[in-house]
Amino acid sequence: MSKHLVIVESPAKAKTIEKYLGKDFQVLASYGHVRDLIPKEGAVDPEHDFAMKYEVIERNQKHVLAISKALKTSDTLYLATDPDREGEAISWHLYELLNEKKLLKDKPVHRVVFHEITKKAVTEAIAHPEQLAINLINAQQARRALDYLVGFNLSPLLWKKIRRGLSAGRVQSPALRLIVERELEIEAFKTREYWTINAALTADGQPFKAKLIQFNDEKISQFSITDQERAEQTKQTLLNAADGQLLVTKLEQKQQKRHPAPPFITSTLQQEASRKLGFTTKRTMMVAQQLYEGIDIGGETEGLISYMRTDSVNLSEEAVQDIRAYIGENYGNDNVPKEPRLFKTKSKNAQEAHEAIRPTSIRRVPAAIKNHLTAEQFKLYELIWKRTIACQMIHATLNRIAVDLSCANGKHVFRATGSSIAIPGFMTVYLEGKDDSNEGEGDDKESFLPHMQEGRPVPLSDILTDQHFTEPPPRYGEASLVKALEEYGIGRPSTYATIISTLQNREYVTLEGKRFYPTDVGRIVNRFLTEHFTKYVDYSFTANLEDELDAVSRGEKDWIPLMRDFWNPFTSLITDKEASVQRKDITQEAIDEKCPECGKPLSIRLGRNGRFIGCTNYPECSYTRNLGDDGGNSEAADVVEGRVCPECSSPLVLKAGKYGKFIGCSGYPKCRHIEPLEKPLDTHVECPQCKTGSLLKRKSRNGKIFYSCSGYPKCDYALWNAPIKESCPACDWPILTVKTTKRNGAEKVCPQKDCKYATPYEGDPADADGPK
């Protein structure tokens, strides 16, 4: 009989911790949250201090029963869920459930908190248990109640005013606004032409360039030269004035220090993993969870990183000393600063200010454990390890040089700048990436200038004119969106991945070329919210509400008055908008154009397949055209050249539908032939069912990838996971598939229902789709 029962969130963590604690402890997993609000109206009751009605989550019912059964034969209960607001709530919900079942009686109940899964951290936490933190629980309850009240009251309004099935959220709505506003900026952007003038020079046998910064005693700005004629005139003037050389009139050399970035917090890890590894935020958190919960590294299972949901840049004194010692031993004592580096945490949440994300042991070098990790795990662990090492190394010292070269007695001035690394310091190990840079890490590249002296001439090879056009701001990628959410105070580190996934799942945004584009529905929803619920998608309001919830978690504020302050004006606004806003006010947008058929005004409207231009005199006038068409006959441009419908021989045309573009018959609706725009990708894996066709990578109507036989409809074999040419060692089925789960990472598994074969997949799951 186990004397002590320990509850954690995941089975992987349970296995690791049970090995540390020994035979007197049984460790079980709750598999995440065990209770949630009932999924119907009335789950939160504003009339009775926002009382909440919970029910056991159906998929976790069996885990609750297993915990209940184990508790009957245990003396003590240790609640060891994650060390944050959500983890505290899970422990509290479990405590409440077990108390209702009268299973606790006089048994001691302890809250156990540890920030890394190592034997030392876990045994110390068990030896020094705490109590449930009621302030964190209240903050989580308030957040959950707010999200419920917004969703359950605002979503039905969207159904009435826009379209059924839509939903709105307290945090993701401001995030949607960011993406839509950026798109509107891009659409409104007016491109401007400008020219730059550079001198091509050579000194000490080394060619280099210098940029024109002054012409005829006037400073050159971005738009000083805006056409080719002016650029050519300037070039000729400079060539005549220079007469084959420029004079070095000023030479400045100075040293600059560059300090290392702080250790990772959740948001910066998500940003860097996106920039450097191409990971989505969801993928980053999934792999980080695996590293935190424990990996078998050759006979022992150990958590490799500290807790990955944190907004603190602090490192423990013990960790810092170990890192400094490692740097001295492996990079030399001259790379160790005299004093440990301290970084300031922006978060006001003292109760949640844990350590930054770091390796549990800096001496566990990535290369030494590479064979025990999947490709994804190794990449992310190496990134965390390098950043942690770098943050405690000396600064980098750069030599900066700026040279002014002139002609015509100083009337025309060019400037060349360059730099070199004098002392690399932390840059030996790691350099932070940049957003929206062609190289991803613009600062990695240093330019060098040849040796020059003031008062000496430098030969001029040519004057170069270059045409440029201003560019609109870039669309958000995952890294830059997370950065913006963090800067605006929208959401918290643990919620960024969920915010992004929710926007995509609701089809409010799409991710194309690693950039977010708002969908037509996303635009309309955002327009409705910004026009009629302005306060609730305001960035400052959202950030202030997050700060107030943080104050609840610190015990500085009571959550019920906070809820009342939010709810009373919000519910009044819902009632008002339900009566005052008409559907056409939201789904139609007036444009300055008359209908060519009846003369009535045209408007941009929302239909089943997205936005289009239609007559406001509908149904009397049925004139419509695609958004973006100039009003002329654009059908010829949409015809698929050289192809006709295989069913009726009418021309095939390019069409746009709810799920994107596709090819369809121009004879619709008499002929309903359609086909995908993109040809299915052949994986060259033989179909195991018919053994004549091959498995093709296809996309379902809702955009989900699947694999099916090229012989369809004669052969209906299909599967969701990428197939690979390997037979199953257990049952001899001719193929395996690559499956990725949160718990186990990427695995090769047998697709046969009765076969349980699974083994780790060492490659990148993204490469398992066959030839690109």
Side-chain angles (χ1 to χ4, degrees):
M1 181 185 91
S2 298
K3 295 178 183 177
H4 311 292
L5 179 62
V6 181
I7 306 300
V8 295
E9 290 179 47
S10 79
K13 194 195 299 187
K15 286 181 187 176
T16 307
I17 292 172
E18 196 163 69
K19 289 178 183 177
Y20 296 155
L21 296 178
K23 61 181 181 179
D24 287 341
F25 288 83
Q26 182 181 8
V27 186
L28 294 179
S30 70
Y31 288 79
H33 280 275
V34 292
R35 287 200 311 183
D36 199 4
L37 294 170
I38 58 173
K40 54 187 176 183
E41 198 170 349
V44 178
D45 186 358
E47 301 301 318
H48 296 89
D49 286 341
F50 300 92
M52 300 181 210
K53 296 175 184 174
Y54 291 103
E55 66 179 12
V56 176
I57 297 170
E58 187 177 348
R59 69 175 184 274
N60 284 343
Q61 180 80 50
K62 60 183 178 182
H63 305 305
V64 173
L65 291 173
I67 291 168
S68 302
K69 184 178 177 182
L71 185 59
K72 291 176 183 176
T73 57
S74 300
D75 298 331
T76 314
L77 176 64
Y78 290 92
L79 299 168
T81 49
D82 286 345
D84 58 12
R85 188 185 285 129
E86 292 300 314
E88 205 72 27
I90 292 170
S91 283
W92 176 74
H93 281 298
L94 198 52
Y95 175 87
E96 291 287 301
L97 272 175
L98 297 172
N99 207 28
E100 286 172 11
K101 292 173 178 278
K102 303 190 185 321
L103 292 172
L104 295 177
K105 298 178 183 177
D106 297 326
K107 292 180 181 180
V109 179
H110 302 298
R111 174 74 170 112
V112 176
V113 175
F114 40 81
H115 303 288
E116 59 185 54
I117 302 178
T118 59
K119 188 168 186 177
K120 181 181 177 183
V122 171
T123 51
E124 280 187 5
I126 292 288
H128 301 91
E130 303 171 6
Q131 298 298 313
L132 283 168
I134 192 62
N135 294 328
L136 284 182
I137 294 163
N138 287 341
Q140 194 277 341
Q141 287 234 94
R143 179 174 265 101
R144 183 68 189 90
L146 283 171
D147 290 342
Y148 168 87
L149 290 171
V150 170
F152 245 85
N153 289 275
L154 195 47
S155 297
L157 191 60
L158 292 178
W159 301 351
K160 293 176 185 175
K161 306 303 179 184
I162 303 175
R163 178 189 289 173
R164 286 199 65 81
L166 298 179
S167 57
R170 181 182 62 85
V171 179
Q172 53 265 25
S173 295
L176 173 63
R177 180 185 166 195
L178 276 172
I179 294 169
V180 174
E181 285 186 344
R182 177 60 58 88
E183 193 68 24
L184 294 174
E185 266 186 87
I186 292 167
E187 290 172 356
F189 185 81
K190 303 294 183 188
T191 298
R192 291 186 66 184
E193 179 183 2
Y194 68 98
W195 290 70
T196 55
I197 312 290
N198 288 281
L201 302 146
T202 304
D204 271 357
Q206 179 185 332
F208 68 100
K209 291 180 183 178
K211 186 178 180 181
L212 182 68
I213 61 167
Q214 182 180 304
F215 182 72
N216 282 335
D217 292 324
E218 290 186 9
K219 185 179 177 182
I220 295 290
S221 65
Q222 183 179 12
F223 298 108
S224 293
I225 304 170
T226 56
D227 58 68
Q228 186 173 8
E229 184 180 353
R230 175 76 195 279
E232 289 299 326
Q233 289 172 356
T234 305
K235 174 179 177 175
Q236 285 305 314
T237 303
L238 291 168
L239 284 171
N240 294 336
D243 196 22
Q245 63 181 29
L246 297 177
L247 189 69
V248 177
T249 52
K250 186 178 179 183
L251 194 152
E252 286 185 344
Q253 293 189 67
K254 58 183 177 180
Q255 286 196 329
Q256 255 186 4
K257 293 179 181 178
R258 182 183 296 179
H259 296 282
F264 281 130
I265 59 175
T266 305
S267 60
T268 53
L269 177 64
Q270 290 171 345
Q271 291 168 54
E272 278 292 82
S274 175
R275 296 176 189 128
K276 290 180 178 283
L277 308 179
F279 286 10
T280 62
T281 51
K282 188 175 181 180
R283 187 175 174 192
T284 298
M285 297 310 289
M286 179 188 76
V287 178
Q289 183 93 27
Q290 295 163 5
L291 294 173
Y292 167 68
E293 290 182 346
I295 305 286
D296 186 339
I297 51 173
E300 61 173 10
T301 301
E302 192 88 16
L304 300 185
I305 63 169
S306 58
Y307 191 54
M308 65 285 160
R309 291 187 180 90
T310 176
D311 50 12
S312 167
V313 290
N314 296 328
L315 293 173
S316 70
E317 189 176 336
E318 182 183 357
V320 169
Q321 293 307 320
D322 198 26
I323 295 163
R324 285 167 60 83
Y326 182 88
I327 294 167
E329 293 163 17
N330 293 274
Y331 298 94
N333 288 324
D334 54 347
N335 273 302
V336 184
K338 289 182 181 179
E339 298 294 330
R341 287 192 179 277
L342 300 176
F343 298 93
K344 191 172 181 182
T345 295
K346 294 178 184 177
S347 172
K348 302 172 188 175
N349 253 16
Q351 286 180 320
E352 290 188 278
H354 310 138
E355 274 196 84
I357 304 167
R358 61 166 176 82
T360 52
S361 171
I362 205 67
R363 296 177 185 279
R364 199 173 285 119
V365 181
I369 59 171
K370 185 174 183 178
N371 292 338
H372 302 290
L373 304 178
T374 66
E376 290 179 322
Q377 290 168 349
F378 173 75
K379 288 175 185 177
L380 194 66
Y381 179 73
E382 184 181 46
L383 191 72
I384 294 166
W385 187 88
K386 285 183 174 181
R387 175 93 161 211
T388 308
I389 285 281
C391 83
Q392 289 302 318
M393 292 179 76
I394 63 165
H395 59 264
T397 304
L398 307 178
N399 288 326
R400 300 285 191 188
I401 184 169
V403 183
D404 285 357
L405 306 104
S406 65
C407 59
N409 296 319
K411 287 176 68 178
H412 314 310
V413 181
F414 294 82
R415 178 167 293 165
T417 59
S419 61
S420 59
I421 301 170
I423 303 170
F426 76 91
M427 290 170 66
T428 306
V429 177
Y430 182 86
L431 188 62
E432 187 175 31
K434 297 263 183 185
D435 285 323
D436 302 317
S437 161
N438 289 335
E439 299 296 326
E441 297 171 40
D443 288 340
D444 268 335
K445 301 175 75 177
E446 299 292 342
S447 57
F448 295 88
L449 291 179
H451 176 71
M452 288 175 274
Q453 287 183 314
E454 277 190 28
R456 294 285 182 92
V458 176
L460 173 67
S461 306
D462 197 4
I463 298 293
L464 309 172
T465 60
D466 293 300
Q467 183 185 36
H468 307 276
F469 295 94
T470 55
E471 295 183 353
R475 291 178 178 87
Y476 287 109
E478 288 220 11
S480 54
L481 182 59
V482 167
K483 189 175 182 180
L485 292 171
E486 185 179 33
E487 287 173 351
Y488 280 108
I490 299 169
R492 284 297 177 260
S494 60
T495 64
Y496 296 145
T498 305
I499 291 169
I500 291 170
S501 294
T502 301
L503 290 177
Q504 290 176 277
N505 293 338
R506 289 179 177 174
E507 297 182 359
Y508 290 167
V509 304
T510 59
L511 189 62
E512 299 172 30
K514 297 189 177 180
R515 298 287 174 177
F516 288 109
Y517 291 75
T519 63
D520 288 342
V521 174
R523 286 172 182 260
I524 297 293
V525 169
N526 178 71
R527 183 169 156 232
F528 173 69
L529 294 174
T530 51
E531 286 183 10
H532 299 282
F533 289 84
T534 312
K535 173 182 174 182
Y536 299 98
V537 290
D538 179 75
Y539 304 134
S540 298
F541 175 81
T542 306
N544 290 337
L545 188 55
E546 291 288 355
D547 287 342
E548 289 183 316
L549 289 165
D550 287 346
V552 172
S553 72
R554 297 191 299 269
E556 297 167 7
K557 207 161 197 170
D558 187 0
W559 71 279
I560 292 176
L562 182 153
M563 294 292 298
R564 286 199 193 103
D565 290 344
F566 178 92
W567 173 247
N568 292 337
F570 179 73
T571 188
S572 297
L573 189 60
I574 289 279
T575 304
D576 173 59
K577 296 301 178 182
E578 193 160 5
S580 63
V581 177
Q582 295 183 30
R583 188 178 186 276
K584 67 178 183 179
D585 297 335
I586 306 303
T587 58
Q588 296 187 31
E589 185 179 340
I591 59 172
D592 188 18
E593 191 180 339
K594 301 290 185 185
C595 175
E597 294 184 5
C598 74
K600 298 287 185 181
L602 294 177
S603 66
I604 298 173
R605 310 174 75 174
L606 181 67
R608 284 185 304 171
N609 298 327
R611 295 192 305 162
F612 66 96
I613 292 175
C615 184
T616 54
N617 194 30
Y618 179 84
E620 282 74 18
C621 176
S622 59
Y623 174 80
T624 63
R625 73 169 190 261
N626 291 335
L627 194 64
D629 287 356
D630 60 5
N633 185 2
S634 61
E635 280 194 30
D638 292 333
V639 172
V640 180
E641 294 294 334
R643 294 205 52 208
V644 294
C645 175
E647 295 181 14
C648 72
S649 298
S650 297
L652 291 177
V653 293
L654 188 65
K655 296 188 173 187
K658 183 178 180 182
Y659 301 103
K661 292 184 178 180
F662 64 96
I663 293 171
C665 182
S666 59
Y668 178 87
K670 289 182 179 179
C671 177
R672 296 178 177 270
H673 172 77
I674 61 169
E675 56 189 65
L677 184 62
E678 297 177 15
K679 288 186 177 180
L681 182 73
D682 193 342
T683 66
H684 299 292
V685 176
E686 184 181 83
C687 174
Q689 184 166 287
C690 69
K691 300 193 183 298
T692 56
S694 62
L695 296 178
L696 305 181
K697 181 181 180 181
R698 304 178 188 268
K699 191 180 283 188
S700 70
R701 287 189 66 200
N702 61 5
K704 191 173 180 182
I705 299 296
F706 71 101
Y707 302 82
S708 66
C709 182
S710 59
Y712 181 83
K714 289 182 180 178
C715 177
D716 61 358
Y717 186 78
L719 65 166
W720 289 113
N721 301 311
I724 51 177
K725 290 180 184 178
E726 280 186 43
S727 58
C728 175
C731 72
D732 229 19
W733 187 248
I735 68 165
L736 295 175
T737 64
V738 176
K739 184 178 182 181
T740 302
T741 63
K742 184 175 180 181
R743 191 188 313 173
N744 300 323
E747 291 183 309
K748 288 190 288 190
V749 301
C750 182
Q752 288 296 81
K753 284 184 180 179
D754 298 331
C755 182
K756 304 298 182 185
Y757 176 78
T759 188
Y761 180 69
E762 297 303 327
D764 187 335
D767 297 332
D769 293 334
K772 298 292 181 282

